């Protein structure tokens, strides 16, 4: 799966336009379709949450006019990548119980088997391992 989003929210503005707020839901539907095709529906809840968090962060904090989202099955993992054109390495924050934001990467770290940032800092990725015996 490879999707390119042309954002309507101006870079640097954290409040998303209605059009951009719809993208995470669209991406969840697309991801679920691919998981069904790959017979990996059991990963749907985790993949949907990971894609939602990474895409929302890219839409809110990215600096490029477009955002790339890619999900692929390779070897024994499903890998999700989001390119947002920002060379700033994101960090996991510790949100308080009253904070409305700040839990995205905390959730990614808790759910994904591994995650990181590409060498250029503009791509954040995470992986979910497939169960033993799954074939590529």
């Amino acid at each position: 799966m490879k999707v390119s989003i042309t954002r309507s929210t101006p870079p640097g503005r954290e409040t998303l336009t209605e059009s951009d707020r719809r993208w995470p839901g669209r991406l969840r539907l697309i991801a679920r379709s691919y998981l069904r095709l790959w017979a990996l529906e059991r990963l749907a809840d985790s993949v949907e949450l990971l894609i939602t968090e990474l895409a929302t962060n890219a839409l809110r904090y990215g600096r490029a006019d477009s955002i790339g989202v890619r999900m692929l099955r390779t070897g024994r993992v499903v890998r999700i990548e989001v390119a947002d054109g920002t060379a700033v390495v994101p960090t996991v924050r510790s949100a308080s119980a009253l904070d409305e934001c700040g839990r995205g990467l905390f959730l990614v770290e808790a759910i994904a088997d591994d995650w990181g940032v590409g060498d250029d800092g503009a791509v954040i990725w995470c992986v979910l391992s497939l169960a033993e015996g799954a074939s590529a």
Side-chain angles (χ1 to χ4, degrees):
M1 168 190 110
K2 189 172 184 179
V3 177
S4 181
I5 300 169
T6 301
R7 48 189 287 146
S8 61
T9 302
R13 184 174 155 212
E14 291 182 28
T15 303
L16 300 179
T17 63
E18 182 61 32
S19 175
D20 284 350
R21 278 197 298 269
R22 288 188 200 116
W23 273 112
R26 291 175 185 146
L27 293 168
R28 287 191 298 270
L29 290 172
I30 295 167
R32 188 174 284 271
S33 295
Y34 273 85
L35 291 171
R36 193 174 307 113
L37 177 69
W38 297 335
L40 294 173
E41 294 97 334
R42 68 188 181 281
L43 298 178
D45 290 341
S46 295
V47 166
E48 287 180 356
L49 188 137
L50 293 168
I51 282 182
T52 297
E53 294 303 329
L54 295 180
T56 300
N57 281 352
L59 287 163
R60 280 197 176 136
Y61 307 115
R63 297 289 181 230
D65 291 330
S66 65
I67 294 162
V69 179
R70 188 168 82 146
M71 182 176 80
L72 57 138
R73 180 180 178 178
T74 175
R76 296 209 172 273
V77 300
V78 170
R79 182 178 174 100
I80 300 166
E81 300 174 347
V82 177
D84 68 3
T86 303
V88 176
V89 176
T91 58
V92 177
R93 292 183 9 198
S94 181
S96 76
L98 299 176
D99 288 338
E100 291 184 23
C101 297
R103 292 177 185 81
L105 285 180
F106 177 80
L107 291 171
V108 170
E109 188 170 75
I111 293 170
D113 292 307
D114 197 10
W115 74 279
V117 180
D119 292 338
D120 64 357
V123 176
I124 186 166
W125 57 267
C126 64
V127 295
L128 288 171
S129 297
L130 302 177
E132 286 298 315
S135 59

